[in-house]
Amino acid sequence: MYFKDSKTTQYFVAVCLCGFDGSELTYVKHGSELTINVKRGLYEPSVIKFGNRFYLTLRNDDHGYVTSSSDGLMYDEPRRWTFGDGSDLGNYNTQQHWVTHGDELYLVFTRKAPTTITCFVIEPHCLSLRSIPKSYTSSATERVLVPERGARLGNLWRHPVTPDETWVVATEWMQTWAESRDARRQQIRADNSIHIAKIKWKSD
């Protein structure tokens, strides 16, 4: 969950432990309250368990952030998402979500230059992306899922439909204010489409 006081600017993120008796969901406790002193703080989290750790990716206005935990409640201090060489991910003010398959952990996120939704392999032990592209050139660990068509992309979801197929769903954002009417966006090819990208895993 994420939350803030009505008088403050920054949001906080925390993971809740709840009980469920078959009909009623009850709050038990929550863990670390995570934020940073950058604009709106941290919000719109996505959590997953992979191996014996929990991983939490977090939205921020300027950068994507990541952290991990041994128990799923108490997390290390969040840090910016980077590639293996320490260079910045290029993700800002959009969601990121996890995908797992076999013994691999992946991050699905929106990146700029160009604006696409892409999937990268993660190195869990160092919380960075395995690929180290200097100019976002395609690599063996990246797959573009939703192409650049002139609209903004950001809010997305993923779901393991079957053991052999995972879907990533996103919608083109058709803006109407001045920013969307610059020279570049006059060439827009987007039409408010809903994209369903199907990741089809190879059999072992």
Side-chain angles (χ1 to χ4, degrees), residues 37-81:
N37 188 26
V38 177
K39 296 183 179 177
R40 289 183 292 170
L42 298 174
Y43 46 101
E44 295 185 4
S46 182
V47 65
I48 198 165
K49 186 180 183 183
F50 181 73
N52 60 359
R53 290 191 69 80
F54 294 82
Y55 296 88
L56 189 64
T57 185
L58 308 143
R59 178 173 176 170
N60 170 256
D61 289 302
D62 290 345
H63 301 276
Y65 281 77
V66 62
T67 182
S68 67
S69 165
S70 60
D71 65 1
L73 290 175
M74 304 305 296
Y75 284 81
D76 298 334
E77 183 177 353
R79 64 188 193 187
R80 290 183 187 179
W81 268 115

Side-chain angles (χ1 to χ4, degrees), residues 1 8 11 52 62 66 88 103 115 121-122 125 137 141 149 166-167 170 173 203:
M1 66 176 184
T8 62
Y11 283 94
N52 60 359
D62 290 345
V66 62
D88 190 73
D103 59 355
T115 303
V121 180
I122 304 303
H125 65 280
T137 56
T141 61
R149 301 200 325 159
T166 300
W167 288 12
W173 181 14
S203 300

Side-chain angles (χ1 to χ4, degrees), residues 78-161:
R79 64 188 193 187
R80 290 183 187 179
W81 268 115
T82 64
F83 290 106
D85 66 347
S87 59
D88 190 73
L89 192 61
N91 168 276
Y92 69 98
N93 200 20
T94 62
Q95 297 175 352
Q96 315 107 49
H97 289 291
W98 303 103
V99 168
T100 61
H101 183 73
D103 59 355
E104 295 280 18
L105 177 63
Y106 301 84
L107 184 71
V108 178
F109 64 99
T110 305
R111 65 165 169 81
K112 56 184 178 180
T115 303
T116 59
I117 291 178
T118 189
C119 182
F120 266 97
V121 180
I122 304 303
E123 295 284 15
H125 65 280
C126 58
L127 289 183
S128 65
L129 274 69
R130 182 176 299 172
S131 181
I132 313 173
K134 294 298 184 183
S135 58
Y136 287 115
T137 56
S138 182
S139 74
T141 61
E142 177 193 18
R143 290 292 183 273
V144 174
L145 302 179
V146 179
E148 164 69 86
R149 301 200 325 159
R152 285 193 171 183
L153 299 165
N155 294 342
L156 58 106
W157 192 244
R158 82 285 179 268
H159 182 69
V161 178

